[in-house]
């Protein structure tokens, strides 16, 4: 490639000797850095996706080379323009790769600040129109690079809740796709139109709009803020465990998704992250190596996002998380998946007799499937049964199951005496409730954005910002009171309290109780299967059916003028 570049220089600029030695060296150095950067970037896909240590030094080297390459093209732009013929889309391609590096660094570390860095590079490409000349070249593969850049930029903006930018990008991407398919009669037209449909559905997933006075939509963030989790009372005895690792698994066939991220996965990952800080003031762009000060440590739990994993993939990631879990730490497993029910009747009631949730099936097990269909006495193979999780209960385990067969996990047994809690979704919702399942589960919405879920079950679809903020303040008070109910309870299982020292788990537990109490008071949630459950069971009278909490929920309903949706004296109805 370097020789080719030098030949190009000779053909465009006359004899090789006419070119100053320094300029020839500039081009040679640039070609070397460009080649090296591509080689390292392509090597990233060969790194194992699981395990937190193996990839760091390789990422560091890749960042280093891209830092040098980016600065080099800035310092020698004139020479590279004249002698190498550097095009603007090539600069855009380097910036896009750096944006991808930051995004993948976020995926590997769960540190939301790296999303800001990815955003700044993707934004620069758009503001400086690096890809604007691509459409003039008769090369469809260059246009595809531009379309992929848009898709990646949209993912980062969704994760940062920059919905205004997302809407602009979707419009631009739509125009670009139309131009692309008009100019090049390609086979991937349907795929790109599907990308547009997916992102449009993703943006519309929230069932309630919060509006400013001028009717513009307020963007609400559901990451953990400084005031998010209820504070612990002084002298409150809770465990010192910290949430260190989370597996977020999505396998619901009909649910809206974008870029291997379902709405439920998207909501849960945000519930396990703090608000991002901007690293720009503390770090030189694009590499992180030259920063003298490290940003303040605000660790998020490390996450694996698994979209439609096979059983073996899920088990591999689970084993890796389990192996690397530090002392005094918790592993969280979130399962949003279609329910798998037992196929035949069983005389026993063991951990493989209640079904579980669906895992993806590979085509290479078709023969095994055929055998399974013939013999109903076998257990479902493509299913995560409660018994499959037993080996991992040797360490503190916090499980959330959002599924039509979540109750399969109610039959858990704590074999090793370690802290263990399962939060289980309702297995069915009332028919009178508008079906929103394609746009994400109501149970997960309660865990991510409890006020929005409360508004939805109350029949509200929009709200003014002032009232929203007033209700959020009241909900914070409810959360504080729920925390006190839990810690003052005399009969609660100790597992709940052992997890209560961690901010993320404390917030999930208080939101779970709020969700359960709300559904039990709601007039149309009247069947047992409409309510969340847990293992171990919570003492109802002290938590989800506590009169003090019920009074708070009716008060919140009064603020919203929807008190008629709830039962006034629920204790008499049981």
């Amino acid at each position: 490639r370097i020789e080719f570049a030098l030949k190009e220089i000779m053909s465009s600029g006359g004899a090789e000797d006419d070119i100053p030695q320094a300029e020839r060296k500039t081009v040679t150095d640039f070609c070397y850095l460009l080649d090296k950067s591509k080689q390292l970037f392509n090597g990233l896909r060969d790194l194992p996706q699981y395990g937190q240590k193996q990839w760091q030094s390789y990422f560091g080297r890749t960042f280093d080379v891209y830092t040098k390459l980016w600065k080099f093209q800035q310092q020698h732009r004139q020479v590279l323009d004249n002698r190498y013929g550097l095009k603007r889309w090539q600069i855009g391609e380097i910036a896009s790769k750096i944006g991808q590096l930051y995004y993948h660094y976020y995926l590997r570390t769960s540190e939301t600040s790296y999303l800001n860095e990815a955003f700044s590079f993707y934004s620069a490409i758009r503001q400086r129109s690096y890809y604007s000349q691509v459409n003039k070249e008769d090369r469809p593969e260059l246009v595809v690079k531009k379309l992929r850049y848009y898709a990646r930029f949209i993912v980062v903006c969704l994760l940062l809740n920059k919905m205004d930018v997302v809407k602009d990008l979707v419009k631009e991407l739509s125009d670009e796709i139309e131009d692309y398919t008009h100019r090049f009669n390609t086979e991937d037209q349907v795929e790109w139109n599907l990308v547009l449909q997916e992102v449009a559905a993703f943006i519309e997933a929230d069932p309630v709009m919060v509006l400013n006075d001028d009717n513009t939509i307020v963007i609400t963030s559901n990451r953990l803020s400084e005031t998010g989790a209820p504070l612990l009372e002084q002298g409150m005895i809770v465990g010192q465990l910290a949430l260190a690792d989370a597996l977020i698994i999505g396998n619901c066939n009909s649910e809206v998704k974008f870029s291997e991220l379902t709405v439920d996965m998207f909501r849960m990952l945000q519930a396990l992250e703090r608000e991002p800080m901007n690293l720009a003031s503390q770090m030189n762009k694009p590499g992180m190596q030259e920063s003298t000060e490290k940003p303040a440590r605000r660790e998020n739990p490390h996450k694996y996002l698994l979209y439609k994993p096979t059983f073996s993939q899920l088990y591999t990631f689970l084993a890796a998380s389990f192996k690397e879990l530090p002392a005094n730490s918790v592993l969280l497993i979130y399962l949003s998946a279609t329910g798998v029910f037992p196929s035949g009747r069983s005389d026993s009631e063991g951990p493989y007799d209640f079904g579980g949730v669906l895992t993806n099936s590979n085509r290479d097990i078709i023969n095994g499937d055929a055998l399974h269909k013939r013999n109903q006495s076998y257990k479902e193979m493509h299913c995560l049964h409660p018994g499959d999780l037993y080996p991992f209960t040797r360490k503190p385990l916090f499980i959330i199951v959002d599924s039509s067969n979540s109750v399969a996990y109610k039959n858990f047994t704590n074999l090793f005496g370690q802290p263990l809690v399962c939060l289980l979704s309702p297995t069915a919702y009332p028919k009178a409730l508008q079906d929103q399942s394609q746009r994400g589960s109501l149970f997960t919405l309660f865990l991510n954005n409890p006020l929005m879920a409360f508004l939805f079950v109350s029949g509200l679809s929009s709200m003014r910002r002032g009232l929203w903020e007033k209700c959020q303040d009241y909900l914070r008070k409810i959360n504080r009171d729920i925390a006190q109910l839990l810690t003052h309870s005399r009969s609660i299982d100790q597992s709940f309290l052992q997890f209560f020292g961690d901010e993320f788990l404390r917030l999930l537990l208080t939101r779970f109780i709020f969700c359960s109490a709300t559904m039990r008071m709601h007039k149309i949630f009247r069947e047992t299967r409409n309510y969340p459950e847990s293992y171990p069971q919570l003492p109802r009278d002290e938590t989800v059916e506590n009169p003090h909490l019920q009074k708070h929920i009716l008060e919140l309903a009064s603020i919203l003028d929807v008190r008629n949706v709830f039962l006034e004296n629920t204790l008499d109805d049981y």
Side-chain angles (χ1 to χ4, degrees):
R1 200 167 300 206
I2 294 170
E3 287 169 9
F4 175 75
L6 290 170
K7 281 176 187 167
E8 287 285 301
I9 293 167
M10 285 175 66
S11 61
S12 60
E16 194 177 339
D17 295 340
D18 293 348
I19 298 165
Q21 187 68 29
E23 292 188 6
R24 283 179 61 197
K25 186 176 184 319
T26 297
V27 172
T28 308
D29 289 351
F30 177 75
C31 289
Y32 169 77
L33 284 171
L34 191 62
D35 270 4
K36 187 72 179 165
S37 67
K38 286 178 181 174
Q39 187 186 335
L40 284 166
F41 191 90
N42 292 337
L44 289 173
R45 63 177 69 116
D46 298 326
L47 293 175
Q49 291 175 289
Y50 48 84
Q52 294 179 48
K53 302 290 178 277
Q54 303 94 318
W55 56 272
Q56 280 175 320
S57 61
Y58 191 95
F59 254 86
R61 291 208 311 279
T62 311
F63 263 116
D64 275 344
V65 170
Y66 271 97
T67 305
K68 288 173 188 167
L69 179 63
W70 185 251
K71 288 181 176 174
F72 194 89
Q73 63 82 24
Q74 284 178 319
Q75 290 162 358
H76 303 284
R77 181 74 58 81
Q78 192 73 47
V79 174
L80 293 171
D81 280 351
N82 295 337
R83 301 299 189 189
Y84 177 80
L86 185 66
K87 293 185 168 62
R88 286 188 70 71
W89 67 260
Q90 290 172 303
I91 302 168
E93 198 56 11
I94 296 168
S96 178
K97 288 281 198 295
I98 294 168
Q100 287 176 64
L101 274 177
Y102 274 119
Y103 173 66
H104 284 287
Y105 208 79
Y106 155 73
L107 288 181
R108 295 264 184 179
T109 62
S110 299
E111 176 47 71
T112 36
S113 307
Y114 295 121
L115 284 172
N116 282 329
E117 300 303 305
F119 177 82
S120 67
F121 272 88
Y122 284 147
S123 285
I125 293 169
R126 184 164 167 247
Q127 285 161 3
R128 298 172 192 173
S129 307
Y130 281 139
Y131 281 123
S132 61
Q133 301 300 308
V134 158
N135 295 21
K136 293 180 181 174
E137 302 204 23
D138 194 29
R139 293 171 61 187
E141 73 277 10
L142 287 186
V143 183
V144 169
K145 282 180 189 285
K146 185 178 186 178
L147 299 182
R148 284 181 177 158
Y149 149 72
Y150 269 106
R152 291 181 182 117
F153 194 6
I154 287 168
V155 171
V156 167
C157 291
L158 283 171
L159 289 165
L160 285 170
N161 293 310
K162 294 181 184 288
M163 292 303 173
D164 293 346
V165 184
V166 170
K167 285 172 184 170
D168 290 343
L169 291 174
V170 169
K171 189 177 182 315
E172 288 172 29
L173 177 58
S174 178
D175 294 343
E176 293 289 348
I177 290 170
E178 197 174 323
D179 179 64
Y180 168 65
T181 52
H182 180 68
R183 286 175 59 213
F184 308 102
N185 192 14
T186 59
E187 293 176 4
D188 56 355
Q189 178 178 352
V190 176
E191 289 169 41
W192 280 110
N193 283 327
L194 185 62
V195 167
L196 280 177
Q197 288 166 24
E198 283 184 348
V199 72
F202 209 94
I203 296 167
E204 301 294 322
D206 281 354
V208 179
M209 285 187 296
V210 185
L211 300 170
N212 285 309
D213 291 338
D214 61 357
N215 282 345
T216 53
I217 295 173
V218 178
I219 307 304
T220 58
S221 172
N222 301 303
R223 288 189 169 94
L224 182 64
S225 62
E226 299 301 320
T227 57
L231 294 171
L232 293 170
E233 288 178 285
Q234 218 168 1
M236 196 182 273
I237 307 298
V238 294
Q240 300 303 305
L241 297 170
L243 178 60
D245 234 64
L247 265 75
I248 297 178
I249 295 147
N251 193 11
C252 290
N253 291 327
S254 60
E255 197 174 299
V256 167
K257 53 108 28 202
F258 184 62
S259 180
E260 302 216 326
L261 202 62
T262 65
V263 172
D264 282 344
M265 291 171 73
F266 175 73
R267 286 176 176 157
M268 186 48 61
L269 81 86
Q270 297 218 343
L272 299 179
E273 291 180 348
R274 299 176 195 279
E275 281 296 345
M277 292 187 303
N278 198 333
L279 295 186
S281 58
Q282 295 161 301
M283 293 192 162
N284 292 326
K285 293 178 192 168
M288 303 164 296
Q289 285 64 39
E290 298 184 26
S291 130
T292 49
E293 290 178 50
K294 288 194 172 177
R297 300 292 282 168
R298 300 187 324 149
E299 297 241 329
N300 288 324
H302 171 261
K303 296 183 299 296
Y304 289 120
L305 306 174
L306 302 179
Y307 175 67
K308 295 200 169 179
T310 61
F311 177 81
S312 55
Q313 285 170 329
L314 196 161
Y315 229 56
T316 304
F317 280 86
L318 194 48
S321 284
F322 180 82
K323 177 175 177 280
E324 295 194 346
L325 198 69
N328 299 317
S329 296
V330 182
L331 171 59
L332 182 146
I333 303 169
Y334 168 78
L335 297 163
S336 160
T338 306
V340 177
F341 298 89
S343 49
R345 296 191 62 179
S346 174
D347 297 332
S348 60
E349 291 197 346
Y352 287 88
D353 293 315
F354 297 96
V357 299
L358 190 68
T359 55
N360 216 2
S361 57
N362 270 343
R363 289 178 191 163
D364 58 3
I365 326 182
I366 287 171
N367 295 337
D369 263 353
L371 177 72
H372 170 72
K373 296 287 184 285
R374 285 199 302 272
N375 192 332
Q376 291 296 300
S377 66
Y378 292 134
K379 307 302 178 196
E380 173 56 60
M381 186 188 311
H382 306 299
C383 170
L384 188 75
H385 298 267
D388 293 323
L389 297 179
Y390 277 21
F392 304 102
T393 61
R394 288 174 169 84
K395 293 182 182 179
L397 195 60
F398 194 98
I399 303 167
I400 301 171
V401 186
D402 195 338
S403 172
S404 54
N405 192 24
S406 59
V407 289
Y409 296 81
K410 194 170 69 168
N411 305 290
F412 237 89
T413 308
N414 191 340
L415 298 173
F416 303 104
Q418 291 291 315
L420 171 66
V421 161
C422 304
L423 305 183
L424 311 170
S425 72
T427 54
Y429 293 100
K431 287 190 169 59
L433 196 70
Q434 184 191 347
D435 182 27
Q436 284 275 327
S437 57
Q438 280 192 315
R439 293 162 74 173
S441 155
L442 178 60
F443 178 66
T444 294
L445 184 61
F446 261 104
L447 297 182
N448 160 265
N449 190 337
L451 180 55
M452 185 172 284
F454 189 87
L455 296 175
F456 172 66
V457 298
S458 303
L460 300 172
S461 58
S462 65
M463 161 159 297
R464 292 286 161 195
R465 181 179 198 149
L467 186 55
W468 170 270
E469 287 171 356
K470 181 182 178 184
C471 290
Q472 284 287 30
D473 284 341
Y474 194 75
L475 195 55
R476 276 190 277 275
K477 174 179 164 39
I478 293 177
N479 271 341
R480 285 196 298 273
D481 285 359
I482 292 172
Q484 286 186 12
L485 290 177
L486 266 172
T487 50
H488 292 179
S489 166
R490 298 189 173 198
S491 54
I492 195 165
D493 189 282
Q494 286 302 301
S495 280
F496 291 101
L497 297 179
Q498 283 170 299
F499 289 129
F500 215 64
D502 180 88
E503 280 182 293
F504 293 104
L505 300 180
R506 184 157 73 246
L507 199 54
L508 287 172
L509 284 167
T510 54
R511 285 173 174 176
F512 173 81
I513 290 169
F514 173 72
C515 167
S516 193
T518 298
M519 288 176 177
R520 286 168 184 278
M521 290 183 69
H522 201 289
K523 283 180 179 173
I524 65 169
F525 286 74
R526 299 319 314 139
E527 296 180 53
T528 311
R529 62 192 189 136
N530 297 157
Y531 307 138
E533 300 207 40
S534 68
Y535 170 87
Q537 281 195 331
L538 285 162
R540 279 193 201 170
D541 55 332
E542 293 180 295
T543 56
V544 296
E545 290 175 7
N546 179 278
H548 182 63
L549 174 55
Q550 291 175 336
K551 188 174 161 224
H552 275 330
I553 288 171
L554 288 175
E555 184 57 38
L556 180 60
S558 295
I559 295 170
L560 293 163
D561 199 21
V562 291
R563 193 158 173 152
N564 60 314
V565 173
F566 297 92
L567 297 165
E568 287 288 335
N569 194 350
T570 48
L571 288 180
D572 296 344
D573 290 284
Y574 282 93

